[in-house]
Amino acid sequence: MTPASENLYAAREPIFPKRVYGKFRTLKWVVMLVTLGIYYLTPWIRWDRGPNLPDQAVLVDLAGRRFYFFWIEIWPHEFYFVAGLLIMAGLGLFLFTSALGRVWCGYTCPQTVWTDLFILVERWIEGDRNARLKLHRAGWSLRKARLRMTKWTAWALIGLATGGAWVFYFADAPTLMRDLLSFQAAPVAYATIAVLTATTFVFGGLMREQVCIYMCPWPRIQGAMMDNDTLTVGYRDWRGEPRGKSRDANVGDCVDCMACVNVCPMGIDIRDGQQMECITCALCIDACDDVMGKLGRDRGLIDYLALSDAPREQAGEVPRPFWQHVLRPRTILYTCIWAAIGAAMVYALFIRPEIEMTVAPVRNPTFVTLSDGAVRNTYELRLRNKHGEPRMFGLHVNGDLSLNLSLEGTAYSAVQVPADDTLKLRVYLTAASASTPATQGETPVRFWVEDLGNGERAYRNTVFNGAGE
Amino acid sequence: MGEPRKDDLTGRETMGHEFDGIEELNTPMPRWWLITFYLTVIWGIGYTIAFPAWPMISGATAGLLGYSTRGEVTQDIASHEAANANLVEDLNAVNLAAFDPQSDLHRYAVARGASVFRAQCSQCHGSGAAGAKGYPNLLDNDWLWGGSLEEVAHSVRHGIRNETDDDAHWSQMPAFGEIREATEIDTLVSFLPTLPDADWDSPGGALFADNCASCHGDAGLGDRSQGAPNLADAIWLYGGDPDSLTQTITYSRFGVMPAWGQRLTEVDVRAVSTYVHSLGGGE
């Protein structure tokens, strides 16, 4: 029986990461600048596609069912490109994790980037770690209320900008901006912004590391991606232990200053060894290097380490060079698969047919007998025009069967397909009375379509149903 | 059963049951759960007041908000009707003799007509419009009463051989079993399949000229003004085998179609006619 006093629930311990300087912190600022820049600015890039198409470089047109990415336009039936990109993203994560540990989590994950941004704002408004700790412990006062309100307002504005940027990917950004400001945009735009503002505020401001620890599945999967040769943030305990402030020869390099703990956005102690919470943001490396530098000791007490190098270093040998950790059969294999999918997609993109046609024989009924005894089949054709201007397409059927092709509603065998659209056609093939295709069961036929503007051709195979068995 | 008492180990109240020395601790529902439960009860009561809920002897309580799913559907349909109002107006005004098959209005008419056809016409003519014995195939190029869009629309609007519409197409083939000998009918039956390259000097040719040519034409090519089928083509509405032909000639046939102008709106008549006309046989 569990005694009532033993509670399984533990409240969150607030974390107040301290400002840190160093090369990894600088790298993280650059990554933040680049990723946030891409996210906020991409919808505003213009790209001229001609008169009938949107001029936004990256646009997910849900209503028109198109995805525009610079010079690439993807239709719904080409969604496999998106699937391929997702597979590449997954393999890319495998690759980077097996080589460099949770480098995605530590540097580029939106949760990390936005949390970093929120902590930056928090630090500007409420001060560094000690000031924030003091404010946290202090009772409510006018000053605390003012600081808290300022911080929350700033967070909410960042959230608003985040949600606001998201909707611009789904509509023409300048138009939507005008509509949003004049309260004429679609309700779904406001709802999306509201939801994303709220989630950004809550995830970046309030939940922070809890998202990584409790909500995200990736930390749990990553264990399978890492091995002993993976470079990950670690503590050279053989050098640091036992900790102590004295200059005694028996005492290790770690002076137990807690700098590494104070800067950790996850609130952990890296000296406890590798742990699930660690996102390998490397800020503890910066913090420790700073202390070691001031004390005149060797840097790298906390460093990017591989487990396989630990016994080597303890034995006084030189650890293996960086490239040996990165270039391993496993990472090479991941790279090859990743590159193969990428190459296949680029290939698929280039051989993507300019003309697309589907042919569906009408099977209710399979054939019609005409008054002169001829047998007629009906086909439903869909012609896609992927260009920004209307195009004429000519149709014919392979000639060795003496089948007569005609189109519903026109005397010609050519049709105009509107710009960036699909046209559905009813097409008839007629076999003369007592001819071979009219009397036998199924006859294979091939529809040819030709872009009359540039002479490009494509075909689809189907069958002609005769009156025979 | 004993009185509730405090459990020594946990300090919590027991339920007062005791079975072979085992007692049950009193573990009430969590407060939040109870509050949620009572809130749902209150919500439920409010819901049945606001919305249609309680069955009465005839019908059910209407609810204070006056909501009904039927009303919502009516509204939904009305909003679609309103959205299509311009197209409907144009379709009612368009000259069927000069209806551009490449126009958007024509596409709308075909789409609208297709749904009318499925609901009203497919019972006899089949969902693919291929017809059945006695029910004309609307896909082929053989028309009893004419295959232009206007003529199709006339047939749809007024129907065939019905007594409810004065403008309905009407014709009646005599039952030749009452007029002619069975042997003469047999002769005709063996003559008909030889059309159109028939021997007109044969006994069958003479019989045909005397009895059939007045409606079906001298060469048996039919007459659309009275719905007399072309007997020289490959299409037989009631079957072209000797048994079917014998029965047709002996007892005659009398295909009937309702006057859809009395049941459908004008726009639906025009739409379904356009649809039928666009299936491959339209003239």
Side-chain angles (χ1 to χ4, degrees), chain A residues 345-402:
Chain A
M345 290 217 322
V346 171
Y347 179 69
L349 199 62
F350 275 107
I351 63 154
R352 204 160 56 142
E354 282 291 307
I355 305 178
E356 287 193 27
M357 170 174 66
T358 58
V359 175
V362 172
R363 301 199 186 279
N364 178 19
T366 50
F367 69 88
V368 177
T369 305
L370 301 183
S371 58
D372 61 354
V375 171
R376 191 183 69 196
N377 277 206
T378 308
Y379 303 85
E380 277 182 353
L381 267 66
R382 282 168 199 273
L383 283 173
R384 288 201 183 91
N385 176 11
K386 294 179 164 187
H387 299 275
E389 70 284 334
R391 293 232 172 166
M392 288 298 291
F393 288 97
L395 279 172
H396 55 106
V397 70
N398 51 348
D400 54 334
L401 291 165
S402 66

Side-chain angles (χ1 to χ4, degrees), chain A residues 1-4 362 364-365 367-374 376 378 408-411 414-416 418 423-426 428 433, chain B residues 7 9-10 12 25 100-102 106-107 126-130 137 139-142 230 232-235 277-282:
Chain A
M1 189 172 290
T2 311
V362 172
N364 178 19
F367 69 88
V368 177
T369 305
L370 301 183
S371 58
D372 61 354
R376 191 183 69 196
T378 308
E408 173 60 38
T410 171
V415 283
Q416 188 179 55
L423 185 73
K424 197 171 133 187
L425 296 171
R426 211 174 149 85
Y428 307 109
S433 175
Chain B
D7 176 58
L9 197 60
T10 59
R12 281 162 62 180
L25 290 182
D100 176 12
Q102 303 299 329
H106 192 277
R107 272 188 275 280
S127 59
N137 183 337
L139 303 169
D140 62 30
N141 56 350
D142 184 42
N230 183 342
D233 67 11
I235 293 167
H277 187 260
S278 77
L279 293 177

